[in-house]
Amino acid sequence: MPYVLGIDVAHARTHAATRLRRGDGWEVPEPLWLGEQTPAAATALFLDDEGYLLTGDAAARAGAAVPSRLLTGFHRRIGDDVPMLIEADAFSPESLTTVLIEGIAEHAAAQFGGPPRHLVVTHPGDWGDYRRDLLRRALAESGFRAATLLPGSIAALYAHLPEPGPGDQAAAVCEFGPDGVTVTLATASGASGWVSRTSTEGVAPAAAVSTAFALAHGASVTPDALAGIVFCGEPGPGALPGRLPCPVFAGPQPALTAAFGASSLAAQRTSPPSRRERPAAETTLLPRVDHPPELTERPARPPLDIKPFELPEPEGPAKLLKRWRPLAATAAVLAIGSSVLIATLSSHEATADKGNTPPHSATLSSCAHPGAAPTGEGHC
């Protein structure tokens, strides 16, 4: 049965959704049950005694007994050169994320009789091209060549606003998590689709809407001009606001919003554009690429700002000593210079006296006259 798959890999839990093909259209998104008691499963892996990696809730349950073999947080480690270690085994973060995605795809294939037509996987909003290329390359090496990567906030927009509409559009997303709310402002222009423009993390739940309006104001968009605000994640009781000047979208299962939007985008990628603007025809022939492209250049590290440490101003006698220290140094230099000058002048005077010494009168002895006969006395 033709279907597409959307996977939302979050920090703690992973959600997935599918859309089935019926005739000429796609059915509404449905959650893919991953957990043992909930649709979501733990974002975790566990290395067993035979060298196999368990995924999801099975990994979390096995890791409770042997924590040294449990792996979590690998999705956010993609792009780090330091591998993740399990005892003596080292794994790259992108390979571990691919193993988790493979397990979900195999679970879906067992239910629907084959691989999905297209796969969409979410990632954190602060990723750049380098991290996306690492995960895309790992997925391609595992056979997932028809895959799309996009931020989780943008995926949530496609759950409620899959067609941005003509002209320039703007919308906001409020992702509720354990560390606060991440507010994202996205824009779209014609058939280009939603693109993240700016984001703020760690916002208090009560300030989520006002932060979204502030981000819109920074982009010269008034609140009533927003296409909507999407609430997703795990908003607590009373988190949804009252009447606002723009539409508010919050589904019955906010935690599945990003997965639903990912599956909706996957369905669009397998269908020709209909109501959207058709892109211009390509006139350039491109060679076929059988291997993934080379990774983009690693982003430069931020500059390191080192401020010099300034010693405190001395007080009391130490302060007086600091003031007199330059004078003492100057006096010492003058004393040394005077000593050198006196020594030089004394040396010149001694040399002058030595040159004026009168010559001694020569005294002739018997030894000085070789013609004189010796007397027998040993004077010479």
Side-chain angles (χ1 to χ4, degrees):
M1 182 179 298
Y3 72 99
V4 292
L5 177 62
I7 301 176
D8 177 31
V9 184
H11 180 68
R13 308 288 289 177
T14 296
H15 299 78
T18 59
R19 293 191 71 174
L20 302 180
R21 183 79 175 185
R22 297 288 186 184
D24 296 334
W26 296 91
E27 294 186 351
V28 296
E30 293 290 341
L32 180 65
W33 200 275
L34 303 178
E36 299 175 351
Q37 298 179 354
T38 62
T43 307
L45 297 172
F46 180 84
L47 183 66
D48 62 11
D49 296 332
E50 298 180 357
Y52 292 97
L53 285 171
L54 304 179
T55 64
D57 290 346
R61 186 173 58 254
V66 188
S68 61
R69 295 188 177 185
L70 180 66
L71 283 169
T72 59
F74 44 84
H75 188 52
R76 293 185 176 272
R77 287 277 304 274
I78 293 179
D80 192 348
D81 292 335
V82 180
M84 302 189 71
L85 299 177
I86 305 179
E87 296 180 350
D89 298 320
F91 301 91
S92 65
E94 58 270 18
S95 66
L96 295 175
T97 305
T98 301
V99 170
L100 180 70
I101 294 172
E102 281 181 334
I104 298 174
E106 291 175 357
H107 179 60
Q111 291 191 20
F112 301 102
R117 293 282 186 90
H118 197 84
L119 172 66
V120 174
V121 180
T122 66
H123 61 75
D126 58 351
W127 276 21
D129 293 337
Y130 179 75
R131 292 180 175 180
R132 279 192 293 266
D133 287 344
L134 284 175
L135 182 56
R136 185 179 291 110
R137 189 170 194 172
L139 291 172
E141 291 175 353
S142 298
F144 297 101
R145 295 189 176 275
T148 300
L149 306 178
L150 80 163
S153 58
I154 301 301
L157 275 176
Y158 279 99
H160 298 283
L161 297 170
E163 301 287 345
D168 296 334
Q169 300 289 333
V173 180
C174 297
E175 301 174 86
F176 290 78
D179 298 328
V181 185
T182 300
V183 182
T184 303
L185 179 70
T187 59
S189 179
S192 61
W194 294 108
V195 178
S196 177
R197 293 304 180 188
T198 182
S199 180
T200 302
E201 299 180 353
V203 179
V209 174
S210 60
T211 303
F213 289 161
L215 294 180
H217 179 74
S220 301
V221 178
T222 59
D224 58 345
L226 289 172
I229 300 180
V230 175
F231 287 78
C232 60
E234 299 177 357
L240 299 181
R243 187 172 181 178
L244 295 178
C246 62
V248 177
F249 302 97
Q253 297 175 296
L256 283 164
T257 302
F260 286 163
S263 64
S264 297
L265 179 60
Q268 290 185 12
R269 293 299 173 91
T270 59
S271 303
S274 56
R275 289 175 294 174
R276 293 175 296 170
E277 299 176 7
R278 291 184 178 271
E282 293 286 346
T283 57
T284 303
L285 297 179
L286 300 178
R288 178 179 178 181
V289 179
D290 295 329
H291 300 285
E294 295 295 330
L295 297 178
T296 56
E297 185 178 356
R298 178 184 292 277
R301 293 183 178 273
L304 184 62
D305 185 13
I306 301 178
K307 296 182 179 180
F309 178 74
E310 297 181 359
L311 295 176
E313 184 73 18
E315 299 293 339
K319 187 174 183 179
L320 296 178
L321 178 61
K322 181 179 179 182
R323 292 180 178 178
W324 285 101
R325 189 173 296 167
L327 298 178
T330 305
V333 171
L334 293 176
I336 294 173
S338 301
S339 301
V340 172
L341 180 61
I342 293 173
T344 303
L345 295 176
S346 300
S347 174
H348 283 291
E349 291 177 1
T351 305
D353 293 341
K354 186 177 296 186
N356 298 328
T357 302
H360 294 282
S361 57
T363 303
L364 298 178
S365 64
S366 60
C367 295
H369 301 278
T375 59
E377 297 180 359
H379 295 287
C380 295

